[in-house]
Amino acid sequence: MEERPGGYEVSNIVLYNKGGTKQLSEDDIKALHCSECSLLLREPYQLLNCGHRICRSCLLETVLKKNNPVCPEDKEPVTKNDVRPDKGCAKEINSLTAACGGSENGCTWRGTVAEAEIHVESCVYIVVPCPQGCGQRLSRNELSNHIQNDCQNKPDASQLIATLMQKLNQLETKFQVTVGSLQKEITNLKLQVKEVPQLKAKINDLTEELTKFNKVTQESLIAADSGRRFTGLDDDGRGGDPGYGSGNFVRGQMPSMASSSSSGGFSSAYTGSSSMPSSYSSGDEELRATVHKLQKDVDLIKPVLQDYQSQIAGYLEVVQTVQESVTRHAVLMEEVKLRQDILDVKTTNGVFIWKIPEIARRYADAQQRRTLSLYSPPFHTSPHGYRMCIRAYLNGDGSGKGTHISVFFVLMKSEHDNLLSWPFKSPVTFQLLNLSNSGNNVTETFMPDLQSPSFQQPKSEMNIASGFPRFAKQSYLKDPNFTKGDAIFIRCKIDLSSIDSKLE
């Protein structure tokens, strides 16, 4: 990601502890603020002389560039040798759960502090001042209607279009920068992950080598012990029980063997003769030296093995982090794209055709549970009518999970709801468009259940979705009759005949 100056701006973020169970107090947040920029610390460094913390960019770009650097809080002198990265503080900040400040208006997003900084820049639920300078503060999704109808400094149509185009261009630029940075980050992490098999191979080699060393060591110790028993030597090289070695032979057996031997070799071993004990004592020492050397080699190998085991554990954590990061970034990219789509689309006649591009990738994301569902941009039955959207599960939901595409109708809260008749009564028709000449669309229609909360006046941003878990077979996602240019088209039509024309 591109490096940003200063700390994290958290005015539109609600911070929770790790796990998201407890909201941080003002004192908790203040303890994590930068002494220079007063924002939440980004890449924190600690000033060793006084203990205060400061962002890396604030330290390098502001504090240390002064002629006589001092701590921004207590004015203690600061040099490059008096600072160090505060990894503990960084870990604490990275573990925090951040919720969108637009949660009171319906936003349910949660993520890390770094992700929240990107999210709030485009979230339509964040409250912002009117850009026309009238003094009103509204959520972004209310700005368009406010500027067109209620703003005291309402611009003319050409100025409004120019403003919207400028915002769209800014959002598109941010989206492209975000995507490029994420792709670069993912590529770097994938290169690190590629090292994991090599480390596993090294671990296996070292484990095999250590096993061989242990086996040889054990055999050598057994051989040494056998030498002591055969020569009648104790561990210190002195003779044991004459004639009976270590006492492992039956009394009377070895003397008879010795007396029957023509060479007298056995007899000397058991009658105190020094020639045989001396010879075997030398061999015993060689075995001891060999065993000692092998044991030293084993002792040298063990720390190396432990180090590699530690490294492999670290890389496995990296793999897990990469997978989680890819999932979060994929969702984030979908969200930014949706914000762009919302600016592009304005349908007010109750008929909406939703193009879902990159269908192969999105279908794979759904199967891998990276993105469970997709939302269409909102559309309306009229300029001041019902507001709604489509929700699609490409890998299915409920009874259609894994086999069918699930499609649902979602009523959304709007500023004109109090003018409309409730519950919502109009029949809703969905079609998966057949793009060939045959024209055999997949079509399903339902009548609203007037008792269901799905069709009552919305109290939150969206009502509970209602529709078809088994709308269309997933095989259609690969059927050239329904997929063109890696995209499918879902048409939603609202029957307007049952809507009061006075309200429309």
Side-chain angles (χ1 to χ4, degrees):
M1 304 290 288
E2 62 175 335
E3 184 173 336
R4 303 190 182 202
Y8 294 107
E9 174 57 64
V10 295
S11 58
N12 285 318
I13 300 172
V14 181
L15 293 176
Y16 293 83
N17 64 345
K18 182 178 180 181
T21 57
K22 180 181 178 182
Q23 184 175 342
L24 299 191
S25 66
E26 291 185 6
D27 290 340
D28 293 333
I29 299 174
K30 188 176 180 180
L32 300 174
H33 273 190
C34 171
S35 297
E36 172 65 24
C37 67
S38 298
L39 300 177
L40 190 69
L41 286 157
R42 187 198 305 269
E43 297 184 87
Y45 273 65
Q46 188 171 39
L47 310 182
L48 300 181
N49 290 340
C50 59
H52 292 126
R53 298 186 180 97
I54 190 169
C55 299
R56 176 179 178 272
S57 60
C58 292
L59 176 68
L60 298 179
E61 302 300 326
T62 304
V63 174
L64 292 180
K65 283 193 173 182
K66 296 178 181 178
N67 292 332
N68 296 302
V70 295
C71 171
E73 287 199 38
D74 56 22
K75 309 306 177 185
E76 281 285 327
V78 177
T79 68
K80 290 183 178 180
N81 296 326
D82 298 329
V83 299
R84 63 171 177 81
D86 195 332
K87 295 182 179 180
C89 181
K91 185 176 181 180
E92 180 181 358
I93 292 173
N94 291 336
S95 70
L96 297 177
T97 297
C100 178
S103 57
E104 294 183 357
N105 297 322
C107 184
T108 59
W109 182 92
R110 284 196 174 198
T112 65
V113 173
E115 292 167 344
E117 187 176 41
I118 299 173
H119 169 81
V120 297
E121 292 179 351
S122 59
C123 179
V124 297
Y125 301 103
I126 291 292
V127 175
V128 294
C130 173
Q132 300 303 119
C134 70
Q136 290 286 330
R137 292 180 59 83
L138 314 96
S139 60
R140 289 191 179 114
N141 59 358
E142 298 174 323
L143 279 179
S144 177
N145 180 69
H146 167 75
I147 293 173
Q148 293 180 51
N149 302 309
D150 305 326
C151 183
Q152 299 175 357
N153 301 330
K154 180 170 62 176
D156 57 31
S158 60
Q159 183 181 354
L160 179 61
I161 292 173
T163 301
L164 288 175
M165 288 303 298
Q166 182 182 8
K167 289 183 177 179
L168 178 59
N169 291 334
Q170 291 173 350
L171 183 58
E172 184 176 4
T173 300
K174 288 179 180 178
F175 175 70
Q176 292 172 349
V177 170
T178 300
V179 171
S181 300
L182 291 175
Q183 289 174 341
K184 183 178 179 181
E185 180 179 349
I186 291 170
T187 299
N188 291 335
L189 290 173
K190 284 182 176 178
L191 290 176
Q192 295 181 40
V193 173
K194 285 183 179 179
E195 297 181 14
V196 172
Q198 299 174 2
L199 286 171
K200 286 184 176 179
K202 289 182 179 179
I203 290 292
N204 291 334
D205 292 343
L206 286 169
T207 302
E208 291 179 6
E209 191 172 352
L210 182 58
T211 301
K212 291 178 181 178
F213 274 128
N214 286 335
K215 184 177 180 181
V216 171
T217 301
Q218 186 66 24
E219 291 175 350
S220 300
L221 290 171
I222 293 172
D225 185 58
S226 298
R228 286 195 299 273
R229 291 173 180 174
F230 187 75
T231 59
L233 294 176
D234 293 331
D235 289 341
D236 59 0
R238 296 175 298 168
D241 183 9
Y244 299 99
S246 302
N248 290 328
F249 299 100
V250 179
R251 286 186 178 272
Q253 182 176 352
M254 288 305 297
S256 64
M257 291 174 63
S259 62
S260 64
S261 172
S262 60
S263 65
F266 284 104
S267 178
S268 64
Y270 294 95
T271 55
S273 175
S274 64
S275 60
M276 287 298 289
S278 175
S279 173
Y280 278 92
S281 177
S282 175
D284 194 27
E285 290 302 323
E286 289 179 4
L287 284 172
R288 286 179 178 277
T290 302
V291 171
H292 182 67
K293 180 181 182 303
L294 290 173
Q295 190 60 51
K296 287 181 65 176
D297 290 340
V298 170
D299 292 339
L300 290 174
I301 288 293
K302 282 183 178 178
V304 176
L305 177 60
Q306 292 171 354
D307 181 56
Y308 275 110
Q309 287 174 332
S310 176
Q311 288 187 44
I312 201 70
Y315 275 99
L316 289 175
E317 290 182 5
V318 170
V319 172
Q320 181 67 24
T321 302
V322 169
Q323 292 173 338
E324 293 175 355
S325 179
V326 169
T327 300
R328 289 196 301 268
H329 291 330
V331 173
L332 181 61
M333 290 164 65
E334 288 289 345
E335 186 173 345
V336 174
K337 185 65 170 63
L338 175 59
R339 304 306 179 202
Q340 182 175 348
D341 290 341
I342 290 174
L343 291 178
D344 286 340
V345 178
K346 184 70 173 177
T347 298
T348 58
N349 63 357
V351 179
F352 178 63
I353 297 179
W354 181 21
K355 176 184 178 182
I356 306 180
E358 300 181 82
I359 196 65
R361 178 186 63 79
R362 294 175 192 268
Y363 180 43
D365 287 347
Q367 290 179 308
Q368 298 298 320
R369 300 181 61 83
R370 287 192 291 265
T371 305
L372 297 181
S373 65
L374 303 172
Y375 286 94
S376 77
F379 58 101
H380 301 73
T381 56
S382 72
H384 304 96
Y386 297 96
R387 182 170 179 249
M388 61 208 69
C389 70
I390 307 169
R391 186 175 187 179
Y393 291 78
L394 297 182
N395 194 42
D397 183 58
S399 62
K401 189 171 184 179
T403 59
H404 287 72
I405 306 166
S406 302
V407 175
F408 299 97
F409 173 80
V410 183
L411 279 171
M412 304 179 69
K413 190 175 183 180
S414 80
E415 60 269 28
H416 301 113
D417 285 347
N418 290 332
L419 302 176
L420 303 174
S421 177
W422 299 98
F424 179 84
K425 303 176 182 178
S426 298
V428 178
T429 298
F430 286 118
Q431 289 183 316
L432 177 62
L433 298 185
N434 188 317
L435 306 177
S436 67
N437 295 327
S438 65
N440 295 323
N441 301 323
V442 177
T443 303
E444 296 283 357
T445 301
F446 73 85
M447 291 292 297
D449 178 359
L450 303 186
Q451 304 302 317
S452 169
S454 298
F455 303 101
Q456 309 304 315
Q457 181 173 348
K459 302 301 181 183
S460 58
E461 179 61 23
M462 293 183 180
N463 275 0
I464 299 171
S466 182
F468 302 99
R470 299 167 64 87
F471 173 63
K473 294 180 180 179
Q474 291 181 12
S475 59
Y476 289 141
L477 296 176
K478 298 180 181 180
D479 188 332
N481 291 325
F482 292 90
T483 305
K484 295 289 184 181
D486 197 28
I488 62 170
F489 296 83
I490 297 177
R491 182 176 185 264
C492 181
K493 181 180 179 180
I494 311 302
D495 185 349
L496 302 182
S497 61
S498 61
I499 297 178
D500 189 342
S501 60
K502 295 178 182 179
L503 298 177
E504 291 297 305

